[in-house]
Amino acid sequence: MNDKQRRVDAIRRRSSHIENHIIDEYSAGKISRRDFIRRGTIIGMSLPALGFLAAACGGDGEGTTTVAPGTTGAPGTTGAPGTTGAPGTTAAPTTAPPAGPATVRIGVAPGPAVGIDPVLINDEAGLSLLGQTAQYLTFSDSELNVVPVLAESWESNDTLDVWTFTLREGVTFHDGTPLTAADVAATFNGPIGTGNAGSAYETYGVEAENAAVVVDDRTVQFTLARPNGAFPFFVSSDNYNAVILPASFWETYDAGTYEQSFIGTGPWLNESYEPGVSAVYTKNPNYWGDNSNQPDRMEVAFFGDESAMITQFQGGLLDVLYRVSFSNAETLESGGATTQSVPTAQHRQIYMDASQPPFGDKRVRQAMALMLDRPLLVQGLLGGFGIVGNDHPIWEVFPMFDPAAVTQREADLATAQSLLEAAGVGGGFSAALDTLQFAEMEDLAQLVQASAAQLNVDLTVGVYDSGTYYQDYWCSFPYEGPCTPGGVQSMGIVNYGHRGVPNVYMGAPLLSDGQWNASHWVNSDYDQLFADFTAAPDLDVQRQLAGQIQAMLWDEVPFIVPYFIDFISVTVPNFQGLQVTGMGHYDITNAGFTG
């Protein structure tokens, strides 16, 4: 036995059975090198051990990674560890940005729909701002990795329903108070236990009382309501309500109080915030990580729509648009701006109220899905920056996606008409279709309306700002129980941002008691499939279950998924280092101007 094998055996002896199972899968060639690294980091295996095992146990070489022992960044990524950043995105600088004073001006359209509040926040602009001053235990990057941030390591028990996180040393809040496990416990227990459940409460998947328990100053333990092999993603930036704030903040929490301090552990200090107008940040001189390349100042301007923002950018008054539509990106690129895009799992869900006629009959829902020309939508609405969907939320890039589960649904008006006739509504019907003002969603609603008209279905489109939509036209707010009708009418279109794993998409919008189940679809067989999926540590089993879920949703169609969307950003030509994720987080702590 050589030294390499002895070291492999030593690692195996101190590994859990779940860790050894993943090592076995990789050694047997059942998963790629990339999947081995990714799954190992999710369950808390150390990067040096993963790097050694990846080399020692062979594999197909896919997704070759460089693991630097002693760093905290995810393998194969480019971001600098210790920032809020989104390592692994496509915007890694080719040259180091210059040091020295700099102000970066960022445009955001639309601006935050509600206040910057860790409990109430539910829109992309708001979460992007929250992430400048506050941070998460982990970060979900655009390569589907979970990256350590405030937690430096974690592990689960053998049944995946108890997870223990060890906090990074030397982290302080903006007021100089050290971060401790008590702050983490208060962050999770506070919003849940005091009745201030955030909009993403259900996605935590923890027991309602004493969700997080302090083990010692640097160790916190979570007990889950059900096993979950992907739990580190649920305390990551994917779960935008999970920013870690001081226990003292939660002791006196009231809606809107965060804007009085903007306290957190992040690299930016808030200097000013004017709702609907702007936010200004300065560099945190006492940041716990290396922010030596960080610009000194960040000015963020809010716009009601993209047109005004584009005009400001063209006039030289903005440097970065971290999210724009494809049409405006093409316009700006033709004028010399730099664009970048990231493939994401972000998608729209066209839900139909399955609790009432006519959508209570799945043949009607299938007919609505058959009326859409998806390739035309991807080209016309997204300019090709996306891929077609197939009426389930499991993005084809997720490793558990089963490509053989169902055939791609295509437009077929004749079959759609036959289904409506069989359901007794062949002569058509009328219904409401509500959505929000965001990106291309209003245009999508108009195209759905036009497509439905071909089947004599008369849809009345209602378009609202995101605050009004989520408050009055979706599930009743706050989202503390099963989605009650609230403002949900017959149909609607809602946005789901990118996640590193599909669990959120498969849980809250689809479970019979799901808080975001706007379609009111109830299916106990699905509920059991989802429970089995979340508890399965084996990728083969997950893929098998995902295939069953894909097939069930394709047949039942509680909602239509027309496409998945790339995330497009624009900067001035001499700006490098912008990091973005499909969720809507952005990071400029290692960015700057080159000349």
Side-chain angles (χ1 to χ4, degrees), residues 6-39:
R6 277 191 285 271
R7 189 177 172 192
V8 170
D9 291 343
I11 293 174
R12 278 182 170 276
R13 281 195 296 274
R14 63 174 183 266
S15 297
S16 68
H17 86 275
I18 295 174
E19 292 168 340
N20 274 311
H21 177 75
I22 294 174
I23 296 171
D24 289 340
E25 284 188 300
Y26 176 63
S27 299
K30 296 175 66 177
I31 59 175
S32 69
R33 183 189 186 99
R34 181 187 298 277
D35 284 340
F36 173 66
I37 296 292
R38 177 177 179 273
R39 294 179 62 199

PDB file of all heavy atoms in Angstrom, residues 6-39:
ATOM      1  N   ARG A   6      -2.864   4.995   1.587  1.00  0.00           N
ATOM      2  CA  ARG A   6      -2.984   5.100   3.047  1.00  0.00           C
ATOM      3  C   ARG A   6      -3.723   6.384   3.435  1.00  0.00           C
ATOM      4  O   ARG A   6      -4.553   6.395   4.350  1.00  0.00           O
ATOM      5  CB  ARG A   6      -1.593   5.054   3.701  1.00  0.00           C
ATOM      6  CG  ARG A   6      -1.064   3.642   3.905  1.00  0.00           C
ATOM      7  CD  ARG A   6       0.164   3.646   4.792  1.00  0.00           C
ATOM      8  NE  ARG A   6       1.337   4.143   4.072  1.00  0.00           N
ATOM      9  CZ  ARG A   6       2.144   3.375   3.368  1.00  0.00           C
ATOM     10  NH1 ARG A   6       1.917   2.070   3.297  1.00  0.00           N
ATOM     11  NH2 ARG A   6       3.191   3.869   2.741  1.00  0.00           N
ATOM     12  N   ARG A   7      -3.457   7.467   2.693  1.00  0.00           N
ATOM     13  CA  ARG A   7      -4.138   8.732   3.016  1.00  0.00           C
ATOM     14  C   ARG A   7      -5.627   8.654   2.646  1.00  0.00           C
ATOM     15  O   ARG A   7      -6.475   9.172   3.375  1.00  0.00           O
ATOM     16  CB  ARG A   7      -3.468   9.889   2.259  1.00  0.00           C
ATOM     17  CG  ARG A   7      -3.975  11.241   2.699  1.00  0.00           C
ATOM     18  CD  ARG A   7      -3.258  12.382   2.012  1.00  0.00           C
ATOM     19  NE  ARG A   7      -3.893  13.646   2.303  1.00  0.00           N
ATOM     20  CZ  ARG A   7      -3.643  14.775   1.671  1.00  0.00           C
ATOM     21  NH1 ARG A   7      -2.721  14.793   0.700  1.00  0.00           N
ATOM     22  NH2 ARG A   7      -4.269  15.886   1.989  1.00  0.00           N
ATOM     23  N   VAL A   8      -5.933   8.008   1.518  1.00  0.00           N
ATOM     24  CA  VAL A   8      -7.341   7.813   1.148  1.00  0.00           C
ATOM     25  C   VAL A   8      -8.062   7.025   2.234  1.00  0.00           C
ATOM     26  O   VAL A   8      -9.163   7.379   2.674  1.00  0.00           O
ATOM     27  CB  VAL A   8      -7.458   7.085  -0.209  1.00  0.00           C
ATOM     28  CG1 VAL A   8      -8.916   6.665  -0.457  1.00  0.00           C
ATOM     29  CG2 VAL A   8      -6.968   7.981  -1.345  1.00  0.00           C
ATOM     30  N   ASP A   9      -7.428   5.933   2.694  1.00  0.00           N
ATOM     31  CA  ASP A   9      -8.048   5.106   3.735  1.00  0.00           C
ATOM     32  C   ASP A   9      -8.245   5.896   5.022  1.00  0.00           C
ATOM     33  O   ASP A   9      -9.259   5.729   5.724  1.00  0.00           O
ATOM     34  CB  ASP A   9      -7.181   3.867   4.004  1.00  0.00           C
ATOM     35  CG  ASP A   9      -7.180   2.904   2.837  1.00  0.00           C
ATOM     36  OD1 ASP A   9      -8.069   3.027   1.972  1.00  0.00           O
ATOM     37  OD2 ASP A   9      -6.281   2.046   2.785  1.00  0.00           O
ATOM     38  N   ALA A  10      -7.280   6.756   5.336  1.00  0.00           N
ATOM     39  CA  ALA A  10      -7.398   7.555   6.564  1.00  0.00           C
ATOM     40  C   ALA A  10      -8.570   8.520   6.464  1.00  0.00           C
ATOM     41  O   ALA A  10      -9.324   8.707   7.431  1.00  0.00           O
ATOM     42  CB  ALA A  10      -6.083   8.317   6.799  1.00  0.00           C
ATOM     43  N   ILE A  11      -8.717   9.136   5.301  1.00  0.00           N
ATOM     44  CA  ILE A  11      -9.859  10.054   5.112  1.00  0.00           C
ATOM     45  C   ILE A  11     -11.165   9.288   5.208  1.00  0.00           C
ATOM     46  O   ILE A  11     -12.123   9.729   5.835  1.00  0.00           O
ATOM     47  CB  ILE A  11      -9.742  10.775   3.754  1.00  0.00           C
ATOM     48  CG1 ILE A  11      -8.542  11.725   3.754  1.00  0.00           C
ATOM     49  CG2 ILE A  11     -11.021  11.551   3.435  1.00  0.00           C
ATOM     50  CD1 ILE A  11      -8.266  12.383   2.417  1.00  0.00           C
ATOM     51  N   ARG A  12     -11.205   8.105   4.613  1.00  0.00           N
ATOM     52  CA  ARG A  12     -12.438   7.299   4.646  1.00  0.00           C
ATOM     53  C   ARG A  12     -12.804   6.904   6.082  1.00  0.00           C
ATOM     54  O   ARG A  12     -13.978   6.883   6.449  1.00  0.00           O
ATOM     55  CB  ARG A  12     -12.270   6.050   3.781  1.00  0.00           C
ATOM     56  CG  ARG A  12     -12.493   6.295   2.286  1.00  0.00           C
ATOM     57  CD  ARG A  12     -12.352   4.987   1.525  1.00  0.00           C
ATOM     58  NE  ARG A  12     -12.761   5.081   0.153  1.00  0.00           N
ATOM     59  CZ  ARG A  12     -14.019   4.961  -0.275  1.00  0.00           C
ATOM     60  NH1 ARG A  12     -14.981   4.776   0.607  1.00  0.00           N
ATOM     61  NH2 ARG A  12     -14.311   5.042  -1.547  1.00  0.00           N
ATOM     62  N   ARG A  13     -11.819   6.580   6.888  1.00  0.00           N
ATOM     63  CA  ARG A  13     -12.112   6.133   8.257  1.00  0.00           C
ATOM     64  C   ARG A  13     -12.769   7.234   9.080  1.00  0.00           C
ATOM     65  O   ARG A  13     -13.595   6.945   9.959  1.00  0.00           O
ATOM     66  CB  ARG A  13     -10.818   5.658   8.928  1.00  0.00           C
ATOM     67  CG  ARG A  13     -10.369   4.250   8.522  1.00  0.00           C
ATOM     68  CD  ARG A  13      -9.324   3.717   9.481  1.00  0.00           C
ATOM     69  NE  ARG A  13      -8.101   4.488   9.448  1.00  0.00           N
ATOM     70  CZ  ARG A  13      -7.093   4.284   8.588  1.00  0.00           C
ATOM     71  NH1 ARG A  13      -7.200   3.308   7.690  1.00  0.00           N
ATOM     72  NH2 ARG A  13      -6.005   5.017   8.616  1.00  0.00           N
ATOM     73  N   ARG A  14     -12.401   8.473   8.835  1.00  0.00           N
ATOM     74  CA  ARG A  14     -13.001   9.543   9.625  1.00  0.00           C
ATOM     75  C   ARG A  14     -14.184  10.218   8.914  1.00  0.00           C
ATOM     76  O   ARG A  14     -14.729  11.201   9.410  1.00  0.00           O
ATOM     77  CB  ARG A  14     -11.943  10.598   9.978  1.00  0.00           C
ATOM     78  CG  ARG A  14     -11.323  11.329   8.799  1.00  0.00           C
ATOM     79  CD  ARG A  14     -10.394  12.439   9.298  1.00  0.00           C
ATOM     80  NE  ARG A  14      -9.821  13.207   8.213  1.00  0.00           N
ATOM     81  CZ  ARG A  14      -8.654  12.980   7.655  1.00  0.00           C
ATOM     82  NH1 ARG A  14      -7.896  11.973   8.111  1.00  0.00           N
ATOM     83  NH2 ARG A  14      -8.200  13.732   6.668  1.00  0.00           N
ATOM     84  N   SER A  15     -14.583   9.665   7.769  1.00  0.00           N
ATOM     85  CA  SER A  15     -15.721  10.223   7.034  1.00  0.00           C
ATOM     86  C   SER A  15     -17.007   9.526   7.448  1.00  0.00           C
ATOM     87  O   SER A  15     -17.007   8.359   7.853  1.00  0.00           O
ATOM     88  CB  SER A  15     -15.516  10.064   5.518  1.00  0.00           C
ATOM     89  OG  SER A  15     -14.375  10.786   5.086  1.00  0.00           O
ATOM     90  N   SER A  16     -18.120  10.266   7.306  1.00  0.00           N
ATOM     91  CA  SER A  16     -19.425   9.688   7.599  1.00  0.00           C
ATOM     92  C   SER A  16     -19.817   8.738   6.469  1.00  0.00           C
ATOM     93  O   SER A  16     -19.181   8.704   5.405  1.00  0.00           O
ATOM     94  CB  SER A  16     -20.467  10.805   7.714  1.00  0.00           C
ATOM     95  OG  SER A  16     -20.676  11.409   6.447  1.00  0.00           O
ATOM     96  N   HIS A  17     -20.902   7.994   6.685  1.00  0.00           N
ATOM     97  CA  HIS A  17     -21.300   7.064   5.630  1.00  0.00           C
ATOM     98  C   HIS A  17     -21.796   7.807   4.402  1.00  0.00           C
ATOM     99  O   HIS A  17     -21.666   7.319   3.276  1.00  0.00           O
ATOM    100  CB  HIS A  17     -22.360   6.082   6.157  1.00  0.00           C
ATOM    101  CG  HIS A  17     -23.774   6.569   6.080  1.00  0.00           C
ATOM    102  ND1 HIS A  17     -24.347   7.346   7.058  1.00  0.00           N
ATOM    103  CD2 HIS A  17     -24.726   6.395   5.112  1.00  0.00           C
ATOM    104  CE1 HIS A  17     -25.596   7.619   6.701  1.00  0.00           C
ATOM    105  NE2 HIS A  17     -25.857   7.059   5.535  1.00  0.00           N
ATOM    106  N   ILE A  18     -22.357   8.999   4.605  1.00  0.00           N
ATOM    107  CA  ILE A  18     -22.787   9.793   3.442  1.00  0.00           C
ATOM    108  C   ILE A  18     -21.578  10.255   2.635  1.00  0.00           C
ATOM    109  O   ILE A  18     -21.560  10.187   1.400  1.00  0.00           O
ATOM    110  CB  ILE A  18     -23.621  11.008   3.913  1.00  0.00           C
ATOM    111  CG1 ILE A  18     -24.917  10.513   4.552  1.00  0.00           C
ATOM    112  CG2 ILE A  18     -23.916  11.938   2.739  1.00  0.00           C
ATOM    113  CD1 ILE A  18     -25.737  11.618   5.171  1.00  0.00           C
ATOM    114  N   GLU A  19     -20.530  10.699   3.343  1.00  0.00           N
ATOM    115  CA  GLU A  19     -19.312  11.133   2.642  1.00  0.00           C
ATOM    116  C   GLU A  19     -18.678   9.953   1.914  1.00  0.00           C
ATOM    117  O   GLU A  19     -18.237  10.079   0.755  1.00  0.00           O
ATOM    118  CB  GLU A  19     -18.347  11.750   3.655  1.00  0.00           C
ATOM    119  CG  GLU A  19     -18.849  13.081   4.236  1.00  0.00           C
ATOM    120  CD  GLU A  19     -18.050  13.548   5.436  1.00  0.00           C
ATOM    121  OE1 GLU A  19     -17.351  12.697   6.067  1.00  0.00           O
ATOM    122  OE2 GLU A  19     -18.115  14.738   5.761  1.00  0.00           O
ATOM    123  N   ASN A  20     -18.624   8.800   2.555  1.00  0.00           N
ATOM    124  CA  ASN A  20     -18.040   7.627   1.897  1.00  0.00           C
ATOM    125  C   ASN A  20     -18.882   7.187   0.703  1.00  0.00           C
ATOM    126  O   ASN A  20     -18.349   6.696  -0.292  1.00  0.00           O
ATOM    127  CB  ASN A  20     -17.916   6.482   2.902  1.00  0.00           C
ATOM    128  CG  ASN A  20     -16.612   6.565   3.683  1.00  0.00           C
ATOM    129  OD1 ASN A  20     -15.540   6.733   3.099  1.00  0.00           O
ATOM    130  ND2 ASN A  20     -16.693   6.453   4.994  1.00  0.00           N
ATOM    131  N   HIS A  21     -20.192   7.376   0.791  1.00  0.00           N
ATOM    132  CA  HIS A  21     -21.043   7.016  -0.334  1.00  0.00           C
ATOM    133  C   HIS A  21     -20.700   7.874  -1.558  1.00  0.00           C
ATOM    134  O   HIS A  21     -20.619   7.372  -2.689  1.00  0.00           O
ATOM    135  CB  HIS A  21     -22.510   7.209   0.051  1.00  0.00           C
ATOM    136  CG  HIS A  21     -23.468   6.925  -1.072  1.00  0.00           C
ATOM    137  ND1 HIS A  21     -23.773   5.643  -1.481  1.00  0.00           N
ATOM    138  CD2 HIS A  21     -24.148   7.754  -1.900  1.00  0.00           C
ATOM    139  CE1 HIS A  21     -24.618   5.690  -2.496  1.00  0.00           C
ATOM    140  NE2 HIS A  21     -24.874   6.967  -2.767  1.00  0.00           N
ATOM    141  N   ILE A  22     -20.491   9.158  -1.341  1.00  0.00           N
ATOM    142  CA  ILE A  22     -20.149  10.039  -2.463  1.00  0.00           C
ATOM    143  C   ILE A  22     -18.775   9.682  -3.025  1.00  0.00           C
ATOM    144  O   ILE A  22     -18.559   9.688  -4.248  1.00  0.00           O
ATOM    145  CB  ILE A  22     -20.211  11.510  -2.004  1.00  0.00           C
ATOM    146  CG1 ILE A  22     -21.655  11.885  -1.666  1.00  0.00           C
ATOM    147  CG2 ILE A  22     -19.660  12.442  -3.079  1.00  0.00           C
ATOM    148  CD1 ILE A  22     -21.814  13.263  -1.082  1.00  0.00           C
ATOM    149  N   ILE A  23     -17.839   9.364  -2.130  1.00  0.00           N
ATOM    150  CA  ILE A  23     -16.502   8.933  -2.596  1.00  0.00           C
ATOM    151  C   ILE A  23     -16.633   7.660  -3.441  1.00  0.00           C
ATOM    152  O   ILE A  23     -16.002   7.527  -4.505  1.00  0.00           O
ATOM    153  CB  ILE A  23     -15.572   8.693  -1.389  1.00  0.00           C
ATOM    154  CG1 ILE A  23     -15.330  10.003  -0.627  1.00  0.00           C
ATOM    155  CG2 ILE A  23     -14.231   8.102  -1.859  1.00  0.00           C
ATOM    156  CD1 ILE A  23     -14.603   9.816   0.707  1.00  0.00           C
ATOM    157  N   ASP A  24     -17.485   6.725  -3.000  1.00  0.00           N
ATOM    158  CA  ASP A  24     -17.693   5.487  -3.768  1.00  0.00           C
ATOM    159  C   ASP A  24     -18.282   5.786  -5.147  1.00  0.00           C
ATOM    160  O   ASP A  24     -17.883   5.184  -6.152  1.00  0.00           O
ATOM    161  CB  ASP A  24     -18.637   4.548  -3.006  1.00  0.00           C
ATOM    162  CG  ASP A  24     -17.985   3.955  -1.764  1.00  0.00           C
ATOM    163  OD1 ASP A  24     -16.737   3.948  -1.701  1.00  0.00           O
ATOM    164  OD2 ASP A  24     -18.724   3.517  -0.857  1.00  0.00           O
ATOM    165  N   GLU A  25     -19.270   6.701  -5.188  1.00  0.00           N
ATOM    166  CA  GLU A  25     -19.887   7.049  -6.470  1.00  0.00           C
ATOM    167  C   GLU A  25     -18.846   7.623  -7.433  1.00  0.00           C
ATOM    168  O   GLU A  25     -18.830   7.294  -8.622  1.00  0.00           O
ATOM    169  CB  GLU A  25     -21.001   8.075  -6.256  1.00  0.00           C
ATOM    170  CG  GLU A  25     -22.286   7.505  -5.684  1.00  0.00           C
ATOM    171  CD  GLU A  25     -23.392   8.541  -5.695  1.00  0.00           C
ATOM    172  OE1 GLU A  25     -23.205   9.587  -5.048  1.00  0.00           O
ATOM    173  OE2 GLU A  25     -24.410   8.315  -6.363  1.00  0.00           O
ATOM    174  N   TYR A  26     -17.963   8.459  -6.908  1.00  0.00           N
ATOM    175  CA  TYR A  26     -16.947   9.073  -7.762  1.00  0.00           C
ATOM    176  C   TYR A  26     -15.915   8.031  -8.201  1.00  0.00           C
ATOM    177  O   TYR A  26     -15.532   7.958  -9.382  1.00  0.00           O
ATOM    178  CB  TYR A  26     -16.260  10.211  -7.001  1.00  0.00           C
ATOM    179  CG  TYR A  26     -15.130  10.862  -7.766  1.00  0.00           C
ATOM    180  CD1 TYR A  26     -15.371  11.525  -8.961  1.00  0.00           C
ATOM    181  CD2 TYR A  26     -13.821  10.808  -7.283  1.00  0.00           C
ATOM    182  CE1 TYR A  26     -14.342  12.121  -9.667  1.00  0.00           C
ATOM    183  CE2 TYR A  26     -12.783  11.398  -7.981  1.00  0.00           C
ATOM    184  CZ  TYR A  26     -13.040  12.061  -9.175  1.00  0.00           C
ATOM    185  OH  TYR A  26     -12.011  12.635  -9.863  1.00  0.00           O
ATOM    186  N   SER A  27     -15.480   7.191  -7.275  1.00  0.00           N
ATOM    187  CA  SER A  27     -14.488   6.165  -7.607  1.00  0.00           C
ATOM    188  C   SER A  27     -15.017   5.202  -8.659  1.00  0.00           C
ATOM    189  O   SER A  27     -14.260   4.701  -9.501  1.00  0.00           O
ATOM    190  CB  SER A  27     -14.093   5.380  -6.344  1.00  0.00           C
ATOM    191  OG  SER A  27     -13.517   6.229  -5.388  1.00  0.00           O
ATOM    192  N   ALA A  28     -16.334   4.940  -8.610  1.00  0.00           N
ATOM    193  CA  ALA A  28     -16.946   4.016  -9.571  1.00  0.00           C
ATOM    194  C   ALA A  28     -17.286   4.685 -10.893  1.00  0.00           C
ATOM    195  O   ALA A  28     -17.807   4.033 -11.799  1.00  0.00           O
ATOM    196  CB  ALA A  28     -18.208   3.415  -8.955  1.00  0.00           C
ATOM    197  N   GLY A  29     -16.995   5.971 -11.012  1.00  0.00           N
ATOM    198  CA  GLY A  29     -17.274   6.682 -12.259  1.00  0.00           C
ATOM    199  C   GLY A  29     -18.742   7.033 -12.444  1.00  0.00           C
ATOM    200  O   GLY A  29     -19.168   7.382 -13.544  1.00  0.00           O
ATOM    201  N   LYS A  30     -19.531   6.993 -11.356  1.00  0.00           N
ATOM    202  CA  LYS A  30     -20.965   7.282 -11.479  1.00  0.00           C
ATOM    203  C   LYS A  30     -21.254   8.776 -11.478  1.00  0.00           C
ATOM    204  O   LYS A  30     -22.317   9.195 -11.920  1.00  0.00           O
ATOM    205  CB  LYS A  30     -21.726   6.599 -10.337  1.00  0.00           C
ATOM    206  CG  LYS A  30     -21.650   5.072 -10.388  1.00  0.00           C
ATOM    207  CD  LYS A  30     -22.300   4.439  -9.187  1.00  0.00           C
ATOM    208  CE  LYS A  30     -23.788   4.680  -9.141  1.00  0.00           C
ATOM    209  NZ  LYS A  30     -24.406   3.978  -7.993  1.00  0.00           N
ATOM    210  N   ILE A  31     -20.352   9.563 -10.948  1.00  0.00           N
ATOM    211  CA  ILE A  31     -20.512  11.015 -10.989  1.00  0.00           C
ATOM    212  C   ILE A  31     -19.216  11.633 -11.474  1.00  0.00           C
ATOM    213  O   ILE A  31     -18.139  11.051 -11.350  1.00  0.00           O
ATOM    214  CB  ILE A  31     -20.888  11.603  -9.608  1.00  0.00           C
ATOM    215  CG1 ILE A  31     -19.819  11.267  -8.554  1.00  0.00           C
ATOM    216  CG2 ILE A  31     -22.245  11.096  -9.152  1.00  0.00           C
ATOM    217  CD1 ILE A  31     -20.083  11.927  -7.203  1.00  0.00           C
ATOM    218  N   SER A  32     -19.325  12.826 -12.061  1.00  0.00           N
ATOM    219  CA  SER A  32     -18.158  13.514 -12.612  1.00  0.00           C
ATOM    220  C   SER A  32     -17.330  14.149 -11.499  1.00  0.00           C
ATOM    221  O   SER A  32     -17.785  14.272 -10.349  1.00  0.00           O
ATOM    222  CB  SER A  32     -18.608  14.587 -13.597  1.00  0.00           C
ATOM    223  OG  SER A  32     -19.260  15.631 -12.888  1.00  0.00           O
ATOM    224  N   ARG A  33     -16.133  14.568 -11.885  1.00  0.00           N
ATOM    225  CA  ARG A  33     -15.274  15.290 -10.934  1.00  0.00           C
ATOM    226  C   ARG A  33     -15.966  16.550 -10.424  1.00  0.00           C
ATOM    227  O   ARG A  33     -15.915  16.862  -9.238  1.00  0.00           O
ATOM    228  CB  ARG A  33     -13.958  15.632 -11.652  1.00  0.00           C
ATOM    229  CG  ARG A  33     -12.907  16.322 -10.812  1.00  0.00           C
ATOM    230  CD  ARG A  33     -11.772  16.780 -11.733  1.00  0.00           C
ATOM    231  NE  ARG A  33     -10.656  17.341 -11.003  1.00  0.00           N
ATOM    232  CZ  ARG A  33      -9.546  16.697 -10.691  1.00  0.00           C
ATOM    233  NH1 ARG A  33      -9.426  15.428 -11.040  1.00  0.00           N
ATOM    234  NH2 ARG A  33      -8.577  17.292 -10.051  1.00  0.00           N
ATOM    235  N   ARG A  34     -16.647  17.268 -11.347  1.00  0.00           N
ATOM    236  CA  ARG A  34     -17.344  18.486 -10.944  1.00  0.00           C
ATOM    237  C   ARG A  34     -18.437  18.180  -9.925  1.00  0.00           C
ATOM    238  O   ARG A  34     -18.584  18.855  -8.908  1.00  0.00           O
ATOM    239  CB  ARG A  34     -17.962  19.178 -12.167  1.00  0.00           C
ATOM    240  CG  ARG A  34     -18.690  20.482 -11.849  1.00  0.00           C
ATOM    241  CD  ARG A  34     -19.413  20.997 -13.080  1.00  0.00           C
ATOM    242  NE  ARG A  34     -18.503  21.301 -14.162  1.00  0.00           N
ATOM    243  CZ  ARG A  34     -17.835  22.442 -14.263  1.00  0.00           C
ATOM    244  NH1 ARG A  34     -17.986  23.371 -13.334  1.00  0.00           N
ATOM    245  NH2 ARG A  34     -17.019  22.652 -15.272  1.00  0.00           N
ATOM    246  N   ASP A  35     -19.240  17.131 -10.201  1.00  0.00           N
ATOM    247  CA  ASP A  35     -20.317  16.776  -9.275  1.00  0.00           C
ATOM    248  C   ASP A  35     -19.761  16.290  -7.933  1.00  0.00           C
ATOM    249  O   ASP A  35     -20.364  16.513  -6.879  1.00  0.00           O
ATOM    250  CB  ASP A  35     -21.218  15.705  -9.888  1.00  0.00           C
ATOM    251  CG  ASP A  35     -22.160  16.274 -10.937  1.00  0.00           C
ATOM    252  OD1 ASP A  35     -22.384  17.492 -10.907  1.00  0.00           O
ATOM    253  OD2 ASP A  35     -22.640  15.504 -11.784  1.00  0.00           O
ATOM    254  N   PHE A  36     -18.609  15.577  -7.991  1.00  0.00           N
ATOM    255  CA  PHE A  36     -17.993  15.118  -6.747  1.00  0.00           C
ATOM    256  C   PHE A  36     -17.600  16.303  -5.863  1.00  0.00           C
ATOM    257  O   PHE A  36     -17.902  16.334  -4.657  1.00  0.00           O
ATOM    258  CB  PHE A  36     -16.758  14.274  -7.074  1.00  0.00           C
ATOM    259  CG  PHE A  36     -15.952  13.889  -5.866  1.00  0.00           C
ATOM    260  CD1 PHE A  36     -16.475  13.040  -4.895  1.00  0.00           C
ATOM    261  CD2 PHE A  36     -14.667  14.388  -5.692  1.00  0.00           C
ATOM    262  CE1 PHE A  36     -15.729  12.682  -3.771  1.00  0.00           C
ATOM    263  CE2 PHE A  36     -13.912  14.040  -4.575  1.00  0.00           C
ATOM    264  CZ  PHE A  36     -14.450  13.189  -3.614  1.00  0.00           C
ATOM    265  N   ILE A  37     -16.936  17.282  -6.452  1.00  0.00           N
ATOM    266  CA  ILE A  37     -16.527  18.466  -5.693  1.00  0.00           C
ATOM    267  C   ILE A  37     -17.764  19.210  -5.172  1.00  0.00           C
ATOM    268  O   ILE A  37     -17.851  19.600  -3.998  1.00  0.00           O
ATOM    269  CB  ILE A  37     -15.686  19.408  -6.569  1.00  0.00           C
ATOM    270  CG1 ILE A  37     -14.372  18.734  -6.983  1.00  0.00           C
ATOM    271  CG2 ILE A  37     -15.410  20.721  -5.833  1.00  0.00           C
ATOM    272  CD1 ILE A  37     -13.399  18.508  -5.863  1.00  0.00           C
ATOM    273  N   ARG A  38     -18.732  19.389  -6.052  1.00  0.00           N
ATOM    274  CA  ARG A  38     -19.915  20.156  -5.672  1.00  0.00           C
ATOM    275  C   ARG A  38     -20.678  19.474  -4.537  1.00  0.00           C
ATOM    276  O   ARG A  38     -21.024  20.108  -3.531  1.00  0.00           O
ATOM    277  CB  ARG A  38     -20.840  20.315  -6.890  1.00  0.00           C
ATOM    278  CG  ARG A  38     -22.139  21.029  -6.598  1.00  0.00           C
ATOM    279  CD  ARG A  38     -22.972  21.218  -7.866  1.00  0.00           C
ATOM    280  NE  ARG A  38     -24.217  21.873  -7.545  1.00  0.00           N
ATOM    281  CZ  ARG A  38     -25.319  21.252  -7.153  1.00  0.00           C
ATOM    282  NH1 ARG A  38     -25.320  19.935  -7.052  1.00  0.00           N
ATOM    283  NH2 ARG A  38     -26.418  21.923  -6.870  1.00  0.00           N
ATOM    284  N   ARG A  39     -20.921  18.179  -4.667  1.00  0.00           N
ATOM    285  CA  ARG A  39     -21.697  17.487  -3.646  1.00  0.00           C
ATOM    286  C   ARG A  39     -20.906  17.372  -2.343  1.00  0.00           C
ATOM    287  O   ARG A  39     -21.468  17.416  -1.250  1.00  0.00           O
ATOM    288  CB  ARG A  39     -22.111  16.112  -4.163  1.00  0.00           C
ATOM    289  CG  ARG A  39     -23.085  16.193  -5.346  1.00  0.00           C
ATOM    290  CD  ARG A  39     -23.465  14.834  -5.845  1.00  0.00           C
ATOM    291  NE  ARG A  39     -24.159  14.060  -4.837  1.00  0.00           N
ATOM    292  CZ  ARG A  39     -24.293  12.747  -4.873  1.00  0.00           C
ATOM    293  NH1 ARG A  39     -23.760  12.057  -5.864  1.00  0.00           N
ATOM    294  NH2 ARG A  39     -24.944  12.119  -3.928  1.00  0.00           N
TER     295      ARG A  39
END
